[in-house]
Amino acid sequence: MRGAPDPAPEGAVPGWKGWGAVCAVALGIFCLITSELLPVGLLTPVGADLGVSDGVAGLMVTVPGLVAGFCAPLVTVGAGRLDRRFVLVGLIALMAVANLVAALAPGFAVLLAARLLVGVSVGGFWAIAGGLAVRLVPERHVGRATALVFGGVPTASVLGVPAGTLLGELGGWRFAFAAVGGLGVLTLAALLLLLPPLPPTRQITFAQLPALLRSNRGVRAGVAVTFLVVTGQFAAYTFVRPILQDVSGVDAGYVSTLLLGYGLAGVAGNFLAGSRDAHRTLLAVGVCLAVILALIATVPGAVAGSVLLLAWGLVYGGVSVSCQSWMIKAAPDDAEAASSLMVAMFNLAIAAGALSGGLAVDGISVPAAPLTGAVLMALAAGTVWATSTSRRATGGPSARS
């Protein structure tokens, strides 16, 4: 897998220092995704404490996702001449402050404003960090390093969301937000200690982004698939707690344990997908999740719900690294620009998914959320199949029009 040109033939950072830097970036991704998804396990207690419905509480996921989607290209372009090291440190610091504000929020409006700042951090950090592996390790290790960086996404589900849910149960939801803020401070220190100077290698302009979409069919398809898969995921996953309790009949005390199992399965899925063809992986993801989400919406029973949740985590775990691989292969000479487009759509899709799921839950019923996700996953699978057929016909990974 190739990205933007290496600043040096064997990578910018020699030996273990490069891998240390990769781990610091992975920790940053882990911290940010934990922060973004933390409300998933806290919707019910936050809503009860601040007097809002589950659907309205879902805006805690919708708002940062929406903001992150817009900020991904904005930060990528705006940081054109700045050292990437200090940009990443600043974004992590902003996330830490936002979570501490959320922990002290006197009402839902202040909490939602803090979540907006989280969105700025997530969008900017992810867009820049997604293509850094090529600058931190030798070219032959870029694929493995990219999988490690994106391993922070499912690991956030393994440790971050379940731990936040558990902390919320033990000390209240405010304590959970404060803990994530503290983790952000530790992450900031790790980035300062382990990241080398990362001056920009290529300046991106706003004009490049729509031009890349117009000229590169593979990038357009990758953006579309990202939107469908992630929207379908978060239409269902944002409301995983009420799904498990109301549909599957899982006792509230076991939800955090099941989310831990979901996350462990997701980590396995991430590394299983890391070395595989992105098109085939995402086709399998779309088909399997369409079936899994339809079943979890309609099949009662705690055992069935638990098994389906674990399968859900395993399959979805390969999405982030596969979407990133798709974009880099589609535009190897414009990897940072392509990554920013993918990150923008990924986060806009989180917002769209949380919003559509909330409308389904409040307007119809809890099972309507995973059923909405199932329909979108089926559409994603159809899009991947059509794109793969076109790719074979044209004889290349990134057909240009």
Side-chain angles (χ1 to χ4, degrees):
M1 177 174 61
R2 295 187 58 85
D6 286 324
E10 289 299 319
V13 185
W16 65 268
K17 293 182 179 180
W19 285 104
V22 168
C23 290
V25 174
L27 178 61
I29 292 286
F30 165 80
C31 190
L32 285 160
I33 300 303
T34 296
S35 178
E36 185 174 20
L37 300 183
L38 181 63
V40 168
L42 302 174
L43 285 182
T44 302
V46 170
D49 190 26
L50 299 182
V52 297
S53 69
D54 281 348
V56 173
L59 290 173
M60 292 188 292
V61 179
T62 303
V63 166
L66 187 63
V67 173
F70 284 108
C71 284
L74 290 177
V75 173
T76 302
V77 174
R81 295 186 178 182
L82 299 177
D83 189 309
R84 296 318 195 235
R85 176 175 182 245
F86 294 113
V87 174
L88 296 182
V89 166
L91 291 168
I92 285 291
L94 179 64
M95 183 279 299
V97 170
N99 278 283
L100 294 175
V101 170
L104 300 172
F108 189 71
V110 175
L111 176 56
L112 207 56
R115 298 296 296 165
L116 183 150
L117 298 180
V118 169
V120 175
S121 303
V122 171
F125 192 101
W126 193 349
I128 292 173
L132 282 184
V134 73
R135 301 185 62 185
L136 299 176
V137 298
E139 184 178 353
R140 65 184 180 277
H141 296 312
V142 167
R144 191 185 312 168
T146 300
L148 180 58
V149 167
F150 280 92
V153 177
T155 306
S157 296
V158 172
L159 300 177
V161 175
T165 303
L166 182 60
L167 289 175
E169 292 171 355
L170 297 176
W173 64 267
R174 294 180 186 276
F175 180 56
F177 278 103
V180 175
L183 178 62
V185 174
L186 294 177
T187 304
L188 185 153
L191 290 169
L192 284 173
L193 288 172
L194 297 173
L195 273 185
L198 293 167
T201 57
R202 185 175 183 179
Q203 191 166 350
I204 297 173
T205 66
F206 283 113
Q208 283 180 262
L209 302 179
L212 185 60
L213 277 174
R214 287 194 303 268
S215 64
N216 192 309
R217 192 184 309 166
V219 169
R220 289 199 303 273
V223 167
V225 170
T226 298
F227 174 77
L228 290 169
V229 170
V230 179
T231 301
Q233 165 71 6
F234 283 91
Y237 185 67
T238 303
F239 302 94
V240 66
R241 183 168 185 152
I243 290 169
L244 290 174
Q245 293 180 211
D246 298 349
V247 179
S248 301
V250 174
D251 186 89
Y254 293 106
V255 170
S256 59
T257 302
L258 285 176
L259 288 177
L260 176 61
Y262 172 97
L264 286 171
V267 171
N270 175 77
F271 288 100
L272 284 172
S275 60
R276 299 179 186 276
D277 179 78
H279 289 77
R280 292 178 181 175
T281 299
L282 289 170
L283 177 60
V285 164
V287 172
C288 291
L289 286 182
V291 174
I292 290 169
L293 293 179
L295 289 175
I296 204 169
T298 55
V299 177
V303 174
S306 301
V307 171
L308 288 168
L309 183 71
L310 295 178
W312 182 358
L314 179 66
V315 175
Y316 185 75
V319 167
S320 299
V321 67
S322 296
C323 288
Q324 181 71 25
S325 297
W326 179 312
M327 300 303 281
I328 290 177
K329 289 179 181 178
D333 298 326
D334 294 291
E336 193 170 273
S339 294
S340 72
L341 290 170
M342 186 276 289
V343 172
M345 186 54 70
F346 199 107
N347 285 281
L348 288 173
I350 290 175
L355 180 60
S356 61
L359 292 172
V361 168
D362 285 350
I364 306 174
S365 63
V366 170
L371 288 174
T372 299
V375 171
L376 290 167
M377 291 298 179
L379 291 173
T383 303
V384 176
W385 179 82
T387 303
S388 299
T389 301
S390 174
R391 182 176 62 145
R392 287 193 297 269
T394 56
S398 58
R400 297 175 182 270
S401 59

